[in-house]
Amino acid sequence: MAQGGSGVLSGLEVAMKLGYASMNTPADVRPDRLARALEDRGYDSLFVGEHSHIPTSRRTPYPAGGELPDSYLRMMDPFVSLTLAASATTTLTIGTGVALPLERDLLALAKTVATLDVLSSGRLEFGVGVGWNAEELANHRPDISWAMRYRALEECTEALRRLWIDAESEHHGKYFDFDSSWSFPKPHRKPHPPVLCGTAGRLGSRHAARWADGWMPTDIGLGPIEGGMLDKKVRLFREAAEQASRPHLPITMVAFGNPTLATLAHYRDLGIERVVLGTARADWDDPSTTMAFIDHYAALILDLA
């Protein structure tokens, strides 16, 4: 069911694009204003993430270390915000970076994603992940063990594709089960919006290579450039995709912090198709710094062509 990548250029054959990730809180720059600013400055995309809630338990530590940033507690719904962003732009790609499909009702999610893709005229990229908070998943799906979250996400994506593609959709699996049904609208983009798998570990990257339409890791999750760890992880992903007969899967890299031009050029030279900026950037808890940040990196877009 996964798109095999045929007809999609590898990152080695195209100029690297820059996107931006917003924490999407009420205090942040409004999605419509932010989207227009990004489109006007030559950015290719806007991504927003998702947390339905954050359990007050501290059993699952924040994966980047330290205290959990307050903005995680205040994130708005990604699909509502992206609808506003799409309505304010004409060419900007909008995306979830990442959505947590295991924490939503499957049939409702299929309709939500398809509706947004229709209203944006096919500009949606559906980034998905399993999240990092075990208690958050358990509150939604106590039947899905943390150890089996990747397998459940794979099945969820398979079921969503059935709902998006088939005139009469049906799925009977371990974690998702529904009888023959009509599910409309169908997405504008055919056969469906690209599903980007937001994973970085060995198991997650192999899942991405096997069934996703692209890979969306964080650079901090892959390891440092120094010493070659990040380069090795990118190479291993490409080898896994080649073994799966899917050699041209694009890579969207989510960059933590404020990467230098040299770092971005390194990602470009690795053949990475897109880098998404803004995650854990300096002063990311101060929305008044957003425009200065995107202006700074907009000036580098031509240097990365």
Side-chain angles (χ1 to χ4, degrees):
M1 283 299 303
Q3 290 174 291
S6 59
V8 179
L9 294 176
S10 73
L12 294 171
E13 297 166 318
V14 296
M16 191 178 77
K17 300 172 285 189
L18 291 184
Y20 181 79
S22 169
M23 285 300 289
N24 190 36
T25 74
D28 284 314
V29 178
R30 278 176 55 98
D32 49 352
R33 181 183 171 216
L34 177 59
R36 281 195 301 269
L38 292 169
E39 187 172 82
D40 289 346
R41 288 160 175 78
Y43 283 78
D44 123 281
S45 52
L46 169 63
F47 284 85
V48 298
E50 175 174 41
H51 283 282
S52 62
H53 68 298
I54 298 292
T56 56
S57 164
R58 299 293 290 146
R59 284 180 292 167
T60 300
Y62 177 49
E67 289 298 315
L68 179 70
D70 184 69
S71 54
Y72 277 91
L73 310 183
R74 308 186 187 285
M75 295 169 71
M76 299 187 291
D77 183 272
F79 298 104
V80 175
S81 294
L82 289 174
T83 300
L84 197 62
S87 70
T89 54
T90 57
T91 61
L92 190 77
T93 294
I94 55 171
T96 51
V98 293
L100 302 176
L102 299 181
E103 299 181 8
R104 286 182 175 259
D105 177 82
L106 178 77
L107 298 170
L109 179 59
K111 184 178 290 287
T112 296
V113 171
T115 299
L116 179 52
D117 194 59
V118 168
L119 295 178
S120 66
S121 299
R123 288 188 281 140
L124 176 64
E125 296 197 6
F126 187 45
V128 302
V130 294
W132 52 265
N133 193 311
E135 293 78 49
E136 182 180 355
L137 175 61
N139 283 343
H140 286 278
R141 292 292 303 265
D143 59 314
I144 299 176
S145 71
W146 189 243
M148 295 301 293
R149 63 196 186 280
Y150 289 109
R151 178 64 190 91
L153 179 63
E154 179 179 10
E155 184 187 323
C156 181
T157 303
E158 178 185 352
L160 286 169
R161 285 175 168 139
R162 291 264 66 94
L163 291 161
W164 291 330
I165 294 171
D166 295 347
E168 297 182 11
S169 312
E170 184 172 357
H171 179 85
H172 302 286
K174 181 175 181 179
Y175 300 107
F176 300 92
D177 192 329
F178 58 89
D179 293 329
S180 181
S181 305
W182 292 302
S183 178
F184 291 92
K186 300 303 183 186
H188 180 278
R189 194 183 308 201
K190 305 303 180 188
H192 54 73
V195 179
L196 310 183
C197 192
T199 54
R202 180 178 180 182
L203 176 60
S205 62
R206 288 190 173 274
H207 269 268
R210 187 171 73 247
W211 56 258
D213 303 310
W215 189 36
M216 193 178 185
T218 59
D219 57 4
I220 194 173
L222 298 182
I225 293 176
E226 298 79 9
M229 180 61 70
L230 184 143
D231 295 35
K232 178 182 178 181
K233 296 287 184 65
V234 170
R235 186 183 73 251
L236 289 174
F237 169 77
R238 290 210 169 98
E239 290 174 356
E242 185 79 37
Q243 291 168 6
S245 300
R246 310 177 72 227
H248 301 305
L249 290 177
I251 299 175
T252 290
M253 182 75 75
V254 178
F256 264 54
N258 294 49
T260 65
L261 176 59
T263 295
L264 295 174
H266 185 83
Y267 294 160
R268 176 201 61 199
D269 295 343
L270 283 176
I272 291 168
E273 181 181 83
R274 175 197 291 132
V275 171
V276 177
L277 305 164
T279 300
R281 64 178 178 84
D283 300 318
W284 73 328
D285 57 347
D286 181 0
S288 70
T289 65
T290 299
M291 292 303 177
F293 179 89
I294 66 174
D295 282 342
H296 171 75
Y297 284 97
L300 304 182
I301 290 175
L302 291 179
D303 295 326
L304 296 168

